[in-house]
Amino acid sequence: MTDIQAPAVRTNQTDPAVAAPAQIKMTARDVNVFYGANHAIKDVSIDVDMENVTAFIGPSGCGKSTFLRTLNRMNDTISIAKVTGDITLDGEDIYSSDMDVVQLRARVGMVFQKPNPFPKSIYENVAYGPRIHGLAPARRDMDQIVESALRRAGLWEEVKDRLSDSGTALSGGQQQRLCIARAIAVDPEVILMDEPCSALDPIATAKIEELIHALRGKYAIVIVTHNMQQAARVSQKTAFFHLGHLVEYGETSEIFTNPRQERTKDYITGRYG
Amino acid sequence: MNSFALLFLVLGLGLIGWLTGRARAGRLIRAAPKRSHSRPGQHAAYVAMWTALPALLFLTVWSAISPALVRDAVLETPAAASLPSFGFQRDSILGEARMLADNPEAGAFNEEARAIAPVYGAAERRYSWIGSAATILLAFAGFAFAYSRVTPTFRARTRVERTVMLVLLIASLIAILTTLSIFVSLLIESARFFAVVPITDFLFGTHWSPQVISSTDPGESLGAVPLFWGTFFIGAVIAMIVAIPFGLMSAIYLTQYAAPRVRRWMKPILEVLAGVPTVVYGYFAALTVAPAIRDFAVMLGFQYASSESALAAGLVMGVMIIPFVSSMADDSIAAVPTAMRDGSFAMGATRSETIRRVLIPASLPGVVAGMLLAVSRAIGETMIVVMAASGAATITLNPFESATTVTKQIVDLLTGEAEFDSPKTLAAFALGLTLFVITFLLNIVALRVVKKYREAYE
Amino acid sequence: MQKRIRRRYAAERRFKFMGLAAVVLSAGFLAFLLVTMLSNGLAGFSRTEVALPIDFPAAKLDVTAKQLQNRGADLALAGAGLDEVVDKAATAAFGEQGIDIISDRAWTEVREALKSDPTLLSRKARIDVPVSQDVQNALDGGGKPAMRAIVSGMQAKGLFSNKFDFGFLTSADSTDPTNVGIWGALKGSLFTMLVTLLIAFPIGVLSAVYLEEYAPRNRWTDLIEVSINNLAAVPSIIFGLLGLAVFLSFLNLPRSASLVGGLTLALMIMPVIVIASRNAIKAVPPSIRDAALGVGASKVQVIFHHVLPLALPGILTGTIIGMARALGETAPLLMIGMRAFIAQPPEGLTDPATVLPVQIFLWSDQVSRGFVERTSAAIIVLLVFLLAMNALAIYLRNRFETRW
């Protein structure tokens, strides 16, 4: 709580290219996902670090987004989806019956491929999460949370004079940063980003990438991207998915310069994709 | 206590449950070290739910069964011993006694009723107290149970949401329940009818005159074939001859030719045509169209043209159906992929050629389904025929003669002075069942075709 | 080749013309219907009055000016024989036929005039009172020749005047067309619609929510869906039979009551509301649901905080269209006994009542000439309500059509 009310964006001093010493936040062991008869994810095991940005890359349809959505159980909304295996958050099994999916999603936030602000005011977009979770007992606390989340998302200066305007009236890049602010506002531990820049222009993309840098270390961040340059720019760890398998997982610099698997190398050198 | 007061009392208790639950949850959650599972508001909803729902459920059931309980209690008292042992007369005395018990100043027709009224009143009061006490007790019990469960770790939200889902599920079942109760009630009454009148007489008999039903052979004057014919002739022939060409051509013009501005104005106008109540069409048919058609027929040389001709009813019905056919055709034509149309244009076909050779064949299943639905609607239409068609059941091909329909006869049979159980009234249910089954089949076939057709182009 | 092309273009023009003709004729029919109703009905809103001179001091009414200001004024005037005074005045003014010239309720007009101006008691006055149906017929060129002669004589003296008939909007049914009003039927319609809305709206919306947001795809759900789609196309009269068999003879609810009418119509329009609500809910983009779920909203919160508010315009449009259909519906209400002659506006949901369309139907059956105008006037009132509702629905649909 105290952290989130810090007024300024804290810039990360560590070298973005080097992975920090790992403190494991989420683990997945032997995860399989089925969509009806379709076996979408096959025996994936992976650890997500607190300190690093983890990128999931791979050709489209490889299952990287599907796997991302198992990490906060967004697959629950699809009735035919079935998940087996263990996924833990700080050692707690997130698929156990004790885990409440609503509380889980408050801890593991998500940013989607297309910016999807609510058709409400900018203020209401950010305030919605804290309100349903009861994070702000008084109106003043809420103002503070909204301001701090918008600052962290690098949007405050652009919107502070028009907080009551509709969130859908912003530009695409601003909308996506608003969605990030919305995710930050509930004070999550992990933020999942599902191709957050695929609908944006290069300038807006650069801003989001800067933002990811700034947020590193504060939250465990997992980003799915089809853009390998982006993965190389923003992440310290990279996982390569292909046909539902996790082919290779390691330090980003290693994966891009010295992949161990033949398939990874083919993908990175652009032989298919 | 009457049930309205009780209802508000229970709702009030629910509100109190909400407030106290919220206060308690808020206090406990503030004191708790961890982020709690549910918000105070959700705990409050949980308490309110437990306070009000069981009590309301009981109240509903109780108000349904308590009149019968009161009645039985009254019948067991010595005062009721002198009543006629069974049947209609006793019921009417009891009914009067109840009225007197509620309102002592009212006049009584039966002397016995005045004697039983105090007994009745006493029984009513007793059961009313039992019901009130049980309801309030249930409310408090529910409240105590839920209130004691409010703790920071208690998952009130999950419980409340499960209840909400249950309520939603029940709401959606009402549609099935309605269909089922339509079918069952029609079936039961029809079964009673067919116990008196052989089903073959009803379905295949060609003589219909329910005003004089012979007690030895009631089936003789209850043959429904003339009604079936009249319904078919007015609804499926005359009305469709008007509605289909007009509806189809309007849809084609509005979708393919009309400028967007014209379309924007004409579509709502057609919708208004659909929104005019059928009683207005009926009045119009009876007042303006029917006399005009009779005069026209006389001019053509039909000496005995009826002023309640099949043509008048069918014509106006057809006009009423135009917007319906038009909007169904509109949907079907819009569902045809543009690529098909472009392909035809690219070969140098004119617009009308494209429409006739490509669009209509491609949208035919949808259009035909729409026509089936239109027929279903026309044969079920009541007010126009009640007001403009005749009651005389004849089998004729001459549109200037009178014809009657199933719906018209249902209304006529049920609005006389007849008793509910007479073959005459029951015949209305048999006609209703026939109508329901036929429209049901038409609807099912049409809806299935529409669905298949939509899927084919998606 | 040229000739062939010309022929094809001619066919094209013919085809287009046929389409245009279909549209124009359909619209023309609507226009014809409306014009007929208007021209017949506008007269139904007014009534003819005749100036009746009354010499109150000579009549020696046994009431004081003070009594007229009290609450018992109506009773006092009736007890003092005001109706006879009025009849006598009519005989005195118009001769032997006088009583037949004024309407039966003429004396109530005099009563109201006295109440509003008690000083009339002490002087002679001319009071405009409604004429009888016979005079009305004679004025329209019908009726008995003798009456026509009298009436034309009076017309020459300018005794008649035409006024807006407030009684038509404030009174209930009657056997005399000069006395009828639509207030009773309107009130019945209002009560019936209230019941319909209270039942059909929540149930319809909730079941739409269930079917769109919760229901698993299985045979059970298919069955619900088929039921709803079919119910939307079942003839309305079948719902009347259902109401008769279930609400009246099985549940023993009161006959002719707006409660039963409302329940029956609620079952009838519920499918309309369900179908419209489902489409509106379907149109809310899934990304909104994802966004809310992503910040940790529960399913119920997603539905009630986001989906329903966004679907509301569509839901309301469907509801208004359904309600308009219920308001214009006649046949099922005939089945449950709402066709009785009811001269008293209903006071509660269980009182015997009639509704506007049924009232129109009942009046349309009357042979008396005066009822034709009244029927058309009632139709105009009904159409005004329905047009307003449909216009509101169309407005809502256009206003909120594209929001994302």
Side-chain angles (χ1 to χ4, degrees):
Chain A
M1 280 310 291
T2 48
D3 285 342
I4 203 164
Q5 282 158 11
V9 177
R10 198 178 62 183
T11 45
N12 203 307
Q13 299 299 319
T14 49
D15 180 355
V18 178
Q23 178 208 338
I24 292 167
K25 188 69 187 169
M26 294 189 83
T27 66
R29 290 290 170 269
D30 304 324
V31 173
N32 286 278
V33 180
F34 303 88
Y35 283 128
N38 180 15
H39 195 170
I41 295 289
K42 296 160 187 161
D43 291 323
V44 170
S45 299
I46 200 170
D47 293 337
V48 173
D49 299 343
M50 184 64 207
E51 305 296 330
N52 294 318
V53 175
T54 307
F56 290 176
I57 61 170
S60 50
C62 68
K64 53 192 192 300
S65 285
T66 302
F67 183 69
L68 187 78
R69 292 167 76 94
T70 63
L71 297 180
N72 71 344
R73 292 179 57 178
M74 282 297 280
N75 281 326
D76 286 15
T77 57
I78 302 159
S79 58
I80 56 165
K82 196 170 138 264
V83 179
T84 65
D86 292 322
I87 301 177
T88 65
L89 172 65
D90 285 340
E92 284 177 78
D93 180 4
I94 67 168
Y95 278 87
S96 85
S97 55
D98 282 347
M99 175 59 73
D100 186 77
V101 65
V102 164
Q103 284 180 304
L104 170 70
R105 289 187 194 136
R107 292 169 67 188
V108 184
M110 191 153 191
V111 176
F112 298 85
Q113 190 166 356
K114 249 180 70 186
N116 55 354
F118 301 126
K120 298 182 178 190
S121 72
I122 293 170
Y123 185 95
E124 279 305 313
N125 261 283
V126 183
Y128 179 68
R131 181 167 299 137
I132 58 171
H133 293 296
L135 299 184
R139 168 88 200 183
R140 224 178 17 198
D141 302 326
M142 185 63 85
D143 290 348
Q144 229 162 14
I145 290 179
V146 170
E147 179 177 344
S148 118
L150 285 171
R151 276 191 194 283
R152 269 161 197 271
L155 197 59
W156 176 251
E157 292 302 325
E158 291 160 60
V159 301
K160 65 180 175 191
D161 298 325
R162 46 183 182 132
L163 288 176
S164 55
D165 285 9
S166 172
T168 50
L170 296 172
S171 75
Q174 287 173 323
Q175 286 189 17
Q176 194 62 299
R177 278 180 284 149
L178 178 62
C179 293
I180 294 174
R182 185 173 67 191
I184 294 173
V186 291
D187 194 19
E189 298 157 31
V190 183
I191 299 179
L192 308 176
M193 298 188 179
D194 188 359
E195 304 194 22
C197 303
S198 67
L200 304 182
D201 60 72
I203 296 171
T205 302
K207 280 208 166 146
I208 301 277
E209 288 181 6
E210 263 171 51
L211 180 56
I212 293 173
H213 276 303
L215 296 175
R216 177 187 166 196
K218 190 85 198 65
Y219 313 97
I221 296 175
V222 184
I223 175 170
V224 164
T225 174
H226 58 263
N227 177 340
M228 278 177 292
Q229 283 73 33
Q230 185 174 57
R233 282 196 301 266
V234 300
S235 74
Q236 290 75 47
K237 290 216 162 173
T238 297
F240 172 60
F241 284 80
H242 186 229
L243 298 176
H245 290 286
L246 173 60
V247 178
E248 191 167 346
Y249 178 45
E251 304 249 334
T252 301
S253 48
E254 283 289 303
I255 297 258
F256 278 94
T257 53
N258 191 14
R260 270 164 291 164
Q261 300 279 336
E262 205 50 33
R263 274 192 287 173
T264 318
K265 197 160 139 196
D266 288 350
Y267 180 66
I268 285 169
T269 53
R271 196 155 299 171
Y272 64 87
Chain B
M1 210 179 305
N2 73 37
S3 36
F4 260 114
L6 211 51
L7 180 73
F8 283 109
L9 182 69
V10 169
L11 291 179
L13 286 175
L15 185 67
I16 292 171
W18 197 86
L19 291 171
T20 49
R22 193 186 157 88
R24 178 181 159 94
R27 212 166 50 237
L28 291 175
I29 287 169
R30 266 197 301 283
K34 265 176 64 176
R35 199 187 264 192
S36 74
H37 176 275
S38 302
R39 310 278 335 279
Q42 291 155 349
H43 286 285
Y46 178 74
V47 177
M49 191 178 90
W50 265 103
T51 313
L53 280 190
L56 288 181
L57 216 61
F58 173 78
L59 193 61
T60 316
V61 175
W62 182 256
S63 51
I65 61 165
S66 67
L69 291 177
V70 170
R71 215 180 105 107
D72 289 351
V74 170
L75 286 177
E76 275 165 24
T77 58
S82 63
L83 287 181
S85 64
F86 213 77
F88 189 68
Q89 206 180 353
R90 192 184 62 173
D91 286 349
S92 81
I93 293 174
L94 282 172
E96 251 182 49
R98 198 180 75 187
M99 207 182 69
L100 280 175
D102 293 344
N103 176 18
E105 274 134 56
F109 188 70
N110 288 300
E111 267 318 301
E112 289 103 320
R114 200 165 281 287
I116 307 177
V119 184
Y120 213 110
E124 266 188 342
R125 274 191 295 281
R126 194 168 64 245
Y127 276 97
S128 159
W129 273 114
I130 295 175
S132 309
T135 308
I136 294 170
L137 216 63
L138 257 178
F140 275 106
F143 170 76
F145 170 73
Y147 189 78
S148 69
R149 296 186 76 179
V150 174
T151 58
T153 51
F154 178 63
R155 303 194 159 189
R157 171 166 41 77
T158 322
R159 313 290 169 118
V160 171
E161 299 200 336
R162 213 173 293 156
T163 313
V164 169
M165 188 182 126
L166 203 68
V167 170
L168 296 179
L169 175 66
I170 292 170
S172 74
L173 289 184
I174 289 183
I176 292 192
L177 207 69
T178 310
T179 309
L180 213 63
S181 55
I182 288 179
F183 195 62
V184 169
S185 62
L186 289 180
L187 213 57
I188 290 176
E189 305 295 340
S190 303
R192 287 165 65 191
F193 175 70
F194 290 129
V196 184
V197 177
I199 188 163
T200 46
D201 283 9
F202 174 74
L203 284 181
F204 305 113
T206 55
H207 177 63
W208 177 269
S209 57
Q211 294 77 15
V212 274
I213 297 175
S214 114
S215 50
T216 49
D217 182 14
E220 181 208 22
S221 54
L222 289 174
V225 169
L227 311 190
F228 298 152
W229 169 250
T231 307
F232 177 78
F233 189 50
I234 293 179
V237 179
I238 301 178
M240 288 307 127
I241 287 176
V242 178
I244 289 174
F246 276 81
L248 202 57
M249 286 309 292
S250 312
I252 288 172
Y253 183 79
L254 288 180
T255 53
Q256 306 297 321
Y257 287 104
R261 210 161 51 92
V262 176
R263 185 176 154 83
R264 208 169 54 235
W265 279 100
M266 288 313 289
K267 261 196 91 120
I269 288 180
L270 281 185
E271 281 170 26
V272 169
L273 205 54
V276 173
T278 54
V279 70
V280 176
Y281 281 112
Y283 185 60
F284 187 68
L287 189 79
T288 312
V289 180
I293 284 177
R294 191 206 41 220
D295 295 347
F296 179 65
V298 169
M299 207 177 74
L300 286 185
F302 290 94
Q303 290 293 308
Y304 303 102
S306 167
S307 63
E308 295 179 318
S309 59
L311 186 58
L315 212 60
V316 175
M317 197 187 278
V319 172
M320 187 195 81
I321 308 270
I322 288 175
F324 185 76
V325 174
S326 163
S327 90
M328 294 296 292
D330 196 328
D331 290 351
S332 318
I333 292 172
V336 175
T338 358
M340 258 190 211
R341 215 175 59 167
D342 292 349
S344 169
F345 282 142
M347 287 167 57
T350 65
R351 213 174 256 274
S352 66
E353 283 160 356
T354 304
I355 292 166
R356 274 184 299 198
R357 302 276 162 76
V358 178
L359 278 187
I360 292 184
S363 59
L364 202 59
V367 173
V368 169
M371 286 169 192
L372 289 185
L373 285 177
V375 170
S376 151
R377 179 171 275 218
I379 63 177
E381 167 47 39
T382 310
M383 289 324 289
I384 294 178
V385 286
V386 165
M387 295 165 83
S390 111
T394 46
I395 301 181
T396 174
L397 260 173
N398 180 351
F400 295 119
E401 273 187 49
S402 59
T404 193
T405 70
V406 171
T407 49
K408 159 104 176 149
Q409 290 302 320
I410 293 177
V411 172
D412 284 0
L413 289 173
L414 283 179
T415 48
E417 293 295 312
E419 284 199 17
F420 191 72
D421 283 352
S422 75
K424 202 174 143 187
T425 349
L426 292 176
F429 284 92
L431 288 175
L433 182 66
T434 322
L435 183 64
F436 179 70
V437 168
I438 289 172
T439 51
F440 184 80
L441 291 178
L442 280 173
N443 296 344
I444 294 287
V445 170
L447 292 172
R448 184 143 301 179
V449 170
V450 168
K451 206 172 160 196
K452 276 258 163 61
Y453 165 71
R454 293 260 161 79
E455 280 162 3
Y457 285 133
E458 257 166 21
Chain C
M1 187 69 185
Q2 278 305 322
K3 216 167 125 194
R4 191 175 152 72
I5 294 239
R6 222 176 306 131
R7 211 169 56 232
R8 281 172 62 196
Y9 274 121
E12 168 75 22
R13 274 194 302 276
R14 266 201 312 278
F15 191 75
K16 185 175 172 182
F17 176 76
M18 274 159 59
L20 184 62
V23 175
V24 169
L25 279 175
S26 308
F29 185 88
L30 181 68
F32 182 48
L33 188 146
L34 292 180
V35 167
T36 311
M37 291 305 148
L38 273 180
S39 64
N40 271 332
L42 283 181
F45 287 108
S46 63
R47 63 175 185 196
T48 310
E49 295 185 345
V50 58
L52 176 67
I54 305 181
D55 184 358
F56 287 107
K60 294 199 182 65
L61 273 170
D62 189 16
V63 282
T64 60
K66 191 137 184 260
Q67 266 178 304
L68 288 179
Q69 281 151 347
N70 293 342
R71 287 212 290 159
D74 285 6
L75 213 62
L77 284 168
L82 182 64
D83 49 342
E84 281 167 36
V85 171
V86 171
D87 284 352
K88 269 187 206 143
T91 324
F94 312 126
E96 288 288 296
Q97 299 266 328
I99 298 175
D100 297 334
I101 287 182
I102 58 170
S103 155
D104 290 346
R105 70 163 172 173
W107 74 276
T108 61
E109 297 290 323
V110 177
R111 185 184 71 196
E112 297 307 313
L114 277 173
K115 271 159 65 186
S116 64
D117 182 10
T119 61
L120 287 175
L121 271 183
S122 54
R123 56 187 161 96
K124 285 184 180 176
R126 290 169 80 91
I127 296 172
D128 286 341
V129 298
V131 299
S132 69
Q133 188 58 43
D134 287 347
V135 175
Q136 191 72 59
N137 291 348
L139 281 170
D140 296 338
K144 283 170 265 175
M147 184 58 89
R148 272 217 297 278
I150 297 173
V151 165
S152 57
M154 288 170 67
Q155 217 169 358
K157 285 189 233 159
L159 288 172
F160 294 116
S161 60
N162 224 339
K163 294 230 175 96
F164 184 79
D165 186 4
F166 284 101
F168 183 65
L169 298 180
T170 55
S171 54
D173 201 4
S174 163
T175 47
D176 177 357
T178 57
N179 285 353
V180 298
I182 53 167
W183 176 237
L186 263 183
K187 209 171 168 192
S189 275
L190 201 72
F191 283 158
T192 309
M193 291 298 106
L194 191 73
V195 175
T196 305
L197 186 66
L198 287 181
I199 306 250
F201 182 71
I203 293 181
V205 174
L206 292 182
S207 57
V209 168
Y210 179 79
L211 290 174
E212 279 305 314
E213 300 286 328
Y214 284 98
R217 294 266 135 237
N218 57 24
R219 306 185 65 166
W220 194 235
T221 317
D222 283 349
L223 193 67
I224 298 181
E225 218 171 312
V226 169
S227 294
I228 288 174
N229 288 335
N230 177 58
L231 276 183
V234 163
S236 61
I237 194 172
I238 300 285
F239 286 95
L241 290 175
L242 172 75
L244 176 61
V246 174
F247 297 137
L248 293 189
S249 58
F250 183 66
L251 293 178
N252 266 322
L253 294 174
R255 261 182 96 78
S256 311
S258 7
L259 176 69
V260 178
L263 283 170
T264 309
L265 293 180
L267 293 181
M268 193 186 87
I269 66 161
M270 207 176 60
V272 178
I273 296 179
V274 174
I275 292 171
S277 304
R278 286 188 68 176
N279 289 334
I281 290 171
K282 223 181 276 179
V284 175
S287 68
I288 299 284
R289 295 181 179 81
D290 281 349
L293 287 172
V295 294
S298 67
K299 187 136 196 173
V300 169
Q301 284 169 334
V302 172
I303 292 168
F304 286 93
H305 294 171
H306 297 282
V307 176
L308 280 184
L310 291 177
L312 201 62
I315 293 176
L316 287 183
T317 307
T319 307
I320 294 170
I321 289 172
M323 291 300 287
R325 213 177 120 185
L327 180 60
E329 194 54 75
T330 320
L333 301 179
L334 296 181
M335 300 291 94
I336 54 163
M338 287 185 95
R339 66 178 302 172
F341 171 77
I342 289 155
Q344 204 69 27
E347 290 300 324
L349 295 181
T350 51
D351 286 353
T354 189
V355 294
L356 204 43
V358 176
Q359 188 72 77
I360 291 168
F361 170 64
L362 292 175
W363 285 348
S364 76
D365 249 9
Q366 301 281 346
V367 283
S368 168
R369 174 80 180 78
F371 273 109
V372 174
E373 286 169 0
R374 296 303 192 170
T375 312
S376 301
I379 285 176
I380 291 173
V381 173
L382 180 63
L383 285 179
V384 165
F385 273 97
L386 290 177
L387 278 182
M389 287 169 85
N390 280 318
L392 184 64
I394 291 173
Y395 169 79
L396 272 178
R397 193 176 60 196
N398 293 343
R399 172 89 170 66
F400 295 98
E401 208 168 24
T402 46
R403 266 251 294 257
W404 40 75

